[in-house]
Amino acid sequence: MNEQVMAATGGGEVLAADGTPLKQCLQKTLRRRKLIAAGLVLPLGAFVFITFMFPIVLMLFRSVDNPIVHENLPQTIAVLEQWDGKDVPGEEAFAALTADLVSARKSKMIGRVATRINFERSGVRSLFTSTARKAKEMEAPFKEALLKTNEKWGERELWVTIKRMGQPYTASQYLAAVDMRFDVDNNVVDQDEDRQIYVTIFGRTLWISFLVTALGLLLGYPVAYLLATLPLKYSNLLMIMVLLPFWTSLLVRTTSWIVLLQTNGVLNDIFVFLHIVDEEGRIQMIYNQMGTVIAMTHILLPFMVLPLYSVMKTIPPSYMRAALSLGANPVRAFVRVYAPQTVPGIGAGGLLVFILSIGYYITPALVGGRTGQMISNFIAFHMQKSLNWGLAAALGGILLVGVLVLYWLYSKIVGVDNMKMG
């Protein structure tokens, strides 16, 4: 026995060379290794949290956070807390609102308050801003003064909206994201028909994503099969052609499709030259859903080919030869022997392409037109143009939950363990 490593006492306990129990030394060594490993992983974990997890948490919080009215109309909200909502509130509420409007204009927050309430009840932004300019000169009775300024202050629905928007947290953004809203009695009802757009857009997003995934599988499967079965010198050349789009800017690839697909573009000129269509019958393939599907399929095709290729490359060719030698024809051998072994690659490629498709933004924005826009384009619109960040966050939250649900269904039906990237 190496006396520098361990020794035995009379009781049979194994000791290290310094007399410490060996079990304790092993636990100390393992703990030190775990700490070293945690220290090495910590920078990556912090990076992932800061750049990925924290923005998602912030987005979900933003979708329910509603501080603007609560913080800038505090006296009004305090009075309306005691209001039953059955009729226009009394003089006390009008006096509190007048004082809050003066204060909000002085702090330069009246625009944000008016915008927030306008999201819930359109057409009242100018009501708040114009009244705030006159509120400083108003005198009691304030109800009469406000009604003289604008008769809309006598509408019960407006006061119900102010009270509801005075809550620090709200679900109204999620209702708006599924084409619903609160009515004057705070019941959940369908949005007005001319404003019901988001359910349709969510459906279109899912349809385009499924279609792009199916087309990617249809086009990518034969390419991956060729890559896996051709001699190395040919398969390497073909692999370069598959990877070539990654070396080209996404913007360049998308704008190239505009040149190809437009009414007076390359493809339509070829169709006219071949007499497939006449000059007046040129096909509209751009600025619609067709353009979005074609461009997205081309851009995302490598993400389908590579997982399929990595799985197909591991399938021994002897399996097909054995099936043929046992009497199966080539088609039967492929369907019964080869194709089932590629299911992990199909699952990996399909899931990857679908998740990328469902959140795609640049390509639909450039070639989608009115009928090819996806939910990501509307999220960007509310972030950049309408500045309704709460609604944008709600749309993003629903999209996130939808992706997680689909991933859960995939895990239950197919099994994530069966998915292979190589």
Side-chain angles (χ1 to χ4, degrees):
M1 181 72 66
N2 189 342
E3 60 183 0
Q4 293 184 355
V5 178
M6 62 179 67
T9 63
E13 185 178 10
V14 180
L15 303 176
D18 58 357
T20 311
L22 182 60
K23 185 177 181 180
Q24 183 178 343
C25 287
L26 291 173
Q27 290 176 346
K28 185 177 180 180
T29 302
L30 290 173
R31 186 164 56 250
R32 184 168 61 251
R33 289 182 177 178
K34 288 180 180 179
L35 290 174
I36 292 172
L40 294 173
V41 174
L42 185 61
L44 177 60
F47 176 79
V48 171
F49 177 79
I50 293 172
T51 61
F52 182 69
M53 296 301 298
F54 181 71
I56 290 177
V57 173
L58 188 61
M59 176 193 71
L60 295 175
F61 176 73
R62 173 77 71 173
S63 66
V64 297
D65 189 30
N66 190 43
I68 301 299
V69 178
H70 179 76
E71 293 176 355
N72 293 284
L73 301 180
Q75 298 179 58
T76 306
I77 300 306
V79 173
L80 292 180
E81 287 292 334
Q82 310 302 321
W83 176 50
D84 59 8
K86 294 181 179 179
D87 200 355
V88 178
E91 173 68 16
E92 186 181 3
F94 283 85
L97 178 64
T98 305
D100 283 335
L101 289 177
V102 173
S103 177
R105 187 168 188 268
K106 185 177 181 180
S107 63
K108 298 182 179 180
M109 294 296 292
I110 186 62
R112 296 183 63 184
V113 173
T115 300
R116 180 65 190 94
I117 297 178
N118 192 71
F119 288 147
E120 300 298 319
R121 180 174 169 78
S122 60
V124 300
R125 191 183 191 282
S126 60
L127 172 66
F128 276 83
T129 54
S130 62
T131 305
R133 287 194 297 269
K134 304 173 185 176
K136 193 173 183 179
E137 286 77 28
M138 290 183 181
E139 297 179 352
F142 293 102
K143 182 174 183 178
E144 182 179 335
L146 285 172
L147 289 175
K148 187 177 180 180
T149 303
N150 197 304
E151 293 182 354
K152 287 185 178 180
W153 291 115
E155 296 177 1
R156 180 172 73 96
E157 186 175 357
L158 176 59
W159 289 94
V160 171
T161 303
I162 295 174
K163 180 179 180 180
R164 186 169 62 249
M165 288 299 97
Q167 301 301 315
Y169 302 102
T170 180
S172 62
Q173 303 288 19
Y174 280 101
L175 290 178
V178 292
D179 295 334
M180 303 186 80
R181 62 180 177 85
F182 290 108
D183 66 3
V184 67
D185 296 314
N186 286 324
N187 299 314
V188 177
V189 297
D190 291 334
Q191 190 66 267
D192 295 337
E193 189 173 348
D194 59 341
R195 302 185 66 182
Q196 294 181 12
I197 58 173
Y198 296 114
V199 172
T200 302
I201 299 301
F202 273 116
R204 181 194 298 167
T205 300
L206 288 174
W207 164 246
I208 291 176
S209 300
F210 278 121
L211 189 57
V212 169
T213 303
L215 290 174
L217 178 61
L218 183 65
L219 297 174
Y221 199 97
V223 176
Y225 181 77
L226 284 174
L227 284 170
T229 55
L230 283 176
L232 192 61
K233 61 178 181 178
Y234 298 116
S235 65
N236 286 342
L237 180 61
L238 190 57
M239 178 61 76
I240 292 174
M241 297 176 65
V242 171
L243 296 176
L244 189 61
F246 287 122
W247 306 336
T248 308
S249 168
L250 175 61
L251 187 61
V252 172
R253 283 180 279 166
T254 303
T255 51
S256 298
W257 278 109
I258 296 177
V259 175
L260 291 170
L261 298 176
Q262 62 184 324
T263 307
N264 294 313
V266 176
L267 287 180
N268 267 304
D269 286 344
I270 293 174
F271 294 156
V272 172
F273 177 77
L274 296 176
H275 301 289
I276 297 175
V277 297
D278 56 21
E279 192 67 37
E280 291 75 22
R282 288 174 176 262
I283 305 172
Q284 181 67 31
M285 295 183 289
I286 199 69
Y287 306 127
N288 54 22
Q289 195 171 128
M290 181 187 296
T292 299
V293 171
I294 292 173
M296 284 180 60
T297 302
H298 165 253
I299 292 168
L300 295 176
L301 188 59
F303 294 99
M304 179 66 76
V305 172
L306 294 177
L308 284 169
Y309 166 73
S310 64
V311 171
M312 290 177 176
K313 195 65 178 176
T314 63
I315 301 174
S318 58
Y319 288 0
M320 284 289 289
R321 293 197 295 266
L324 293 172
S325 67
L326 292 173
N329 60 52
V331 175
R332 185 177 181 84
F334 181 85
V335 172
R336 297 293 298 274
V337 176
Y338 191 87
Q341 297 181 78
T342 64
V343 169
I346 294 173
L351 193 64
L352 182 61
V353 171
F354 180 80
I355 290 177
L356 289 173
S357 298
I358 207 169
Y360 230 59
Y361 167 69
I362 294 178
T363 301
L366 292 177
V367 304
R370 183 180 62 84
T371 61
Q373 299 286 296
M374 299 173 69
I375 196 63
S376 55
N377 302 110
F378 285 82
I379 294 173
F381 169 78
H382 289 301
M383 291 291 292
Q384 299 170 0
K385 300 293 179 64
S386 73
L387 301 182
N388 192 350
W389 289 6
L391 180 55
L395 292 170
I398 292 174
L399 186 64
L400 174 64
V401 172
V403 170
L404 293 177
V405 169
L406 290 171
Y407 183 80
W408 176 79
L409 290 173
Y410 175 89
S411 177
K412 288 293 183 181
I413 297 171
V414 179
V416 178
D417 295 338
N418 295 325
M419 184 176 67
K420 294 181 181 179
M421 303 294 286

